Amino acid sequence: MKLGILGQAGQWHCDDLRRAAAFMGMELYSIPFECLRSSVETNGLQVHANEVDLLSCDGILVRSMPNGSLNQIVFRMDALAQLELKGVRTINNARSIEFCIDKFLTLCRLQAAGLPVP
């Protein structure tokens, strides 16, 4: 099984997940969001990070979303959504990340569910 982990290399949780995957005989690639690249070509969508073809991964674990410009954040979210649409299983998918980083959206959803909000 080939897994990618989107997060900062050297963070304890990424290192711990990599160690656990190796113990289970899985390939786990650390992929910094800053290395994410994508293109739409005649043969279809391409999503890479360094030498890793993310479309060939069995799953992607999203551990963090680093700071960036609006364009960088939108691109990262769109790339995650496209991976999901292409059938790559994504843990902490684009929609859940959106709720985590958009406090206003989260407050609206909580209020719509009948929960008190500040």
Side-chain angles (χ1 to χ4, degrees):
M1 180 173 276
K2 180 179 174 183
L3 300 172
I5 181 167
L6 281 164
Q8 298 303 107
Q11 291 183 336
W12 69 268
H13 50 88
C14 293
D15 293 341
D16 228 20
L17 287 167
R18 192 182 312 85
R19 187 173 49 253
F23 179 76
M24 297 176 68
M26 299 178 191
E27 293 178 86
L28 183 66
Y29 296 92
S30 291
I31 304 163
F33 264 106
E34 295 83 1
C35 295
L36 197 60
R37 303 287 179 262
S38 182
S39 62
V40 179
E41 304 192 13
T42 55
N43 61 343
L45 176 71
Q46 305 293 314
V47 183
H48 289 87
N50 296 331
E51 74 285 348
V52 180
D53 174 7
L54 279 94
L55 289 167
S56 72
C57 290
D58 297 300
I60 303 290
L61 304 170
V62 183
R63 292 299 305 153
S64 62
M65 175 71 71
N67 292 333
S69 69
L70 177 60
N71 285 341
Q72 289 170 322
I73 300 296
V74 169
F75 166 73
R76 294 168 188 164
M77 299 297 288
D78 289 346
L80 283 176
Q82 289 304 309
L83 287 168
E84 294 165 34
L85 287 173
K86 292 293 184 181
V88 178
R89 184 168 173 93
T90 307
I91 309 302
N92 295 329
N93 63 26
R95 193 71 174 147
S96 65
I97 298 292
E98 183 180 3
F99 287 127
C100 290
I101 62 177
D102 188 335
K103 304 295 187 264
F104 180 71
L105 178 60
T106 301
L107 286 173
C108 291
R109 302 245 335 170
L110 290 171
Q111 185 179 48
L115 297 169
V117 296

